[in-house]
Amino acid sequence: MTVPLEGAMPQGEEALTAGDGGMRSGTSRLMEEVVDRENLQAALRRVRQNKGSPGIDGMTTEELLPYLRVHWPRLREELLAGMYQPAPVKRQEIPKKGGGVRQLGIPTVLDRFIQQAVLQVLQPRFDPTFSEHSYGFRPGRSAQQALAKAQRYVEEGRRYVVDVDLEKFFDRVNHDVLMGRLAKRIEDKRMLRLIRRYLEAGVMASGVVIERHEGTPQGGPLSPLLANVLLDEVDKELEQRAHAFVRFADDCNVYVRSLKAGARVLAFLRRQYTRLRLRLNEEKSAVARVLTRSFLGIAFWRGPGGVLRRRVADKALEAMKERVRELTGRTRGKSVTQVVEELRQYLSGWRAYFRLAETPLVFRKLDEWIRHRIRQLYLKQWNRGRAIYRELRARGASDALARMVASGSKRWWHHAAHTIHVVLTNAHFDRLGLPRLAS
């Protein structure tokens, strides 16, 4: 679908096309490419598709286009003059498994639109220069490809992994170091000023704007690209030394043949990241046997005949079960149909990501456990013995079965596992749209 950006801004149509001729292949007129009409239309489509929460001004993605109709000519001139000032981001804390929180910075919808337009200009220039060992947030690359590469390294005989965890990477990015790397590749001073302003825009928390002197907050379209720009330097150093490694965003694994080699690599990486003003999380970083660690939620194991296989890592599995427990909680006040729809969205994405795992029995047991929880939810929502009897009979249960379950109505988990599965069958959940992980 074409977003009628120029038609939606009759006052700005001339401004949208002015100065677009004579586009250079270099990097001295990048801002003219940012405000190019086709680039803006593509950015607007992407922001509207991604949706997301409003920033500090409360503007939604649906309200963005009407706003641009009125204000785009002024915004365009500010961008071309190097005068545009981004708004502070809204702080949002996401609990992390195992304690602590992950800090997200939610830009305004307008700033997400401008960042996306900038990303579309910079990424085609930067991405082809990145290491072939880098897979995170790059067009045509995925976590599944990174895991397949890691598996090949292990199959070649590299039994040890240097598993590096950067301490609060997105919160610790040094602005001067990052801008120095960007300045080597971008001539357009307006672009550099704009990126610097996004880095320093500040964070609004409890109505107060807090200045930011380091970090590139997760939540904006530009942050992943900026992370790759900074970390690519370490990738190139590893390449020069012919190391077998895979990086996905700030997760980097180097595969080696001995503990001694791994210790040397870990010391080398510690020095390289220190040069970038970054720190290793010493508690989580280690040199260890591959089969004892996980990468991107996947761990390796040896199947029959010693064949290397993939499984869902224990922490990823527990995180998934915890999310299912939240969605199927008995006190959420949502109907079973609503709960199944939420589960459908979550489990479809989870299944797509972990499709490489080679553990069908684990998936079958998860399917049984999830259906068990929903059957229990049915009983909880029917609540009383008389209602339970009536609902079970309406679904074809025998009189004896309905009476037995109704008389022990508080034994929800027991009956969900051992009795009402003959009424609330697997086919029933298929009709509701509940995905099967084992399919």
Side-chain angles (χ1 to χ4, degrees):
M1 180 182 71
T2 300
V3 179
L5 187 62
E6 59 171 327
M9 302 183 212
Q11 299 175 350
E13 186 170 333
E14 181 178 340
L16 279 169
T17 57
D20 287 340
M23 195 70 66
R24 299 184 184 181
S25 59
T27 61
S28 61
R29 290 176 60 82
L30 293 179
M31 201 59 73
E32 279 73 15
E33 295 185 42
V34 169
V35 301
D36 174 76
R37 182 173 62 251
E38 291 185 5
N39 186 55
L40 295 172
Q41 289 177 330
L44 184 59
R45 283 195 296 270
R46 177 58 65 89
V47 170
R48 295 173 75 179
Q49 288 168 0
N50 290 346
K51 298 183 179 180
S53 304
I56 63 170
D57 60 358
M59 184 189 298
T60 66
T61 53
E62 291 78 13
E63 296 169 325
L64 177 58
L65 185 55
Y67 179 87
L68 292 175
R69 286 190 179 115
V70 177
H71 297 282
W72 177 247
R74 171 183 59 81
L75 295 168
R76 181 183 186 278
E77 291 307 314
E78 289 179 3
L79 288 167
L80 289 174
M83 300 297 291
Y84 178 76
Q85 182 62 54
V89 298
K90 182 172 69 174
R91 173 178 289 175
Q92 183 170 327
E93 296 182 344
I94 306 297
K96 294 171 65 174
K97 301 299 178 185
V101 295
R102 176 177 289 108
Q103 300 281 357
L104 295 185
I106 309 300
T108 64
V109 172
L110 174 62
D111 281 323
R112 293 210 294 272
F113 166 66
I114 295 174
Q115 283 194 39
Q116 181 64 36
V118 170
L119 175 67
Q120 292 166 181
V121 170
L122 293 184
Q123 191 155 43
R125 286 177 164 83
F126 281 85
D127 195 79
T129 70
F130 289 152
S131 167
E132 67 175 36
H133 300 270
S134 168
Y135 289 85
F137 308 110
R138 298 184 60 190
R141 290 178 167 243
S142 66
Q144 286 76 17
Q145 291 173 333
L147 289 163
K149 175 66 76 68
Q151 183 170 350
R152 284 199 293 274
Y153 288 145
V154 179
E155 289 171 339
E156 290 170 358
R158 296 175 177 87
R159 303 293 180 88
Y160 295 89
V161 60
V162 183
D163 188 353
V164 171
D165 184 274
L166 291 175
E167 188 176 272
K168 297 182 178 179
F169 168 71
F170 284 95
D171 296 332
R172 295 278 170 81
V173 169
N174 183 278
H175 293 173
D176 292 333
V177 173
L178 174 58
M179 293 307 303
R181 271 57 179 178
L182 290 170
K184 293 178 181 178
R185 307 182 63 175
I186 295 176
E187 300 174 63
D188 194 327
K189 303 300 183 184
R190 300 164 299 176
M191 177 68 78
L192 292 171
R193 282 197 296 270
L194 179 63
I195 294 174
R196 169 75 81 165
R197 285 171 179 163
Y198 272 121
L199 292 173
E200 298 178 345
V203 178
M204 179 169 283
S206 301
V208 177
V209 176
I210 303 170
E211 292 185 0
R212 188 170 64 230
H213 302 289
E214 64 178 2
T216 171
Q218 299 179 72
L222 264 179
S223 290
L225 177 65
L226 298 180
N228 279 333
V229 168
L230 185 63
L231 295 175
D232 186 63
E233 183 172 312
V234 180
D235 294 345
K236 295 297 173 46
E237 293 289 341
L238 288 169
E239 281 183 348
Q240 281 191 343
R241 288 159 175 77
H243 285 300
F245 73 99
V246 180
R247 183 175 66 80
F248 192 95
D250 57 328
D251 290 325
C252 182
N253 276 10
V254 185
Y255 296 88
V256 295
R257 298 180 187 276
S258 69
L259 281 172
K260 188 174 181 180
R264 289 196 301 268
V265 172
L266 183 59
F268 166 75
L269 287 173
R270 188 179 288 110
R271 293 193 301 271
Q272 292 299 311
Y273 288 126
T274 298
R275 290 178 57 234
L276 298 178
R277 313 274 184 91
L278 298 171
R279 292 204 300 265
L280 267 61
N281 185 324
E282 299 293 348
E283 291 185 2
K284 294 183 179 180
S285 300
V287 181
R289 288 189 175 275
V290 168
L291 300 187
T292 67
R293 308 291 284 191
S294 64
F295 182 50
L296 303 179
I298 290 288
F300 295 115
W301 62 289
R302 294 286 179 185
V307 177
L308 193 68
R309 302 289 190 188
R310 298 175 296 271
R311 65 178 177 86
V312 182
D314 293 342
K315 290 179 70 172
L317 199 59
E318 184 52 41
M320 176 268 201
K321 295 181 75 171
E322 182 59 31
R323 180 59 179 153
V324 171
R325 290 187 188 99
E326 292 172 0
L327 293 176
T328 57
R330 294 179 295 177
T331 59
R332 295 184 68 223
K334 295 198 173 187
S335 68
V336 170
T337 301
Q338 291 173 316
V339 169
V340 168
E341 174 57 23
E342 290 178 339
L343 282 170
R344 186 191 64 77
Q345 295 179 29
Y346 173 70
L347 294 176
S348 296
W350 193 90
R351 182 178 62 184
Y353 181 85
F354 287 104
R355 66 181 184 273
L356 290 181
E358 300 166 292
T359 50
L361 179 59
V362 172
F363 287 159
R364 284 198 296 272
K365 289 184 176 180
L366 282 174
D367 283 334
E368 293 171 2
W369 177 75
I370 292 168
R371 289 191 293 263
H372 188 166
R373 288 199 59 89
I374 303 175
R375 291 183 182 113
Q376 178 186 233
L377 186 60
Y378 269 113
L379 291 176
K380 166 64 177 175
Q381 292 190 353
W382 292 337
N383 199 19
R384 295 181 178 86
R386 189 171 297 175
I388 291 174
Y389 175 84
R390 182 176 63 250
E391 294 289 347
L392 289 176
R393 289 289 283 160
R395 286 165 172 77
S398 67
D399 179 74
L401 175 62
R403 288 183 182 278
M404 180 185 67
V405 176
S407 64
S409 59
K410 297 301 181 183
R411 301 179 67 196
W412 293 313
W413 187 253
H414 171 82
H415 288 308
H418 301 293
T419 53
I420 66 169
H421 64 279
V422 299
V423 178
L424 300 175
T425 63
N426 295 352
H428 169 78
F429 293 112
D430 291 340
R431 289 192 294 272
L432 285 179
L434 183 69
R436 291 197 187 201
L437 301 177
S439 62

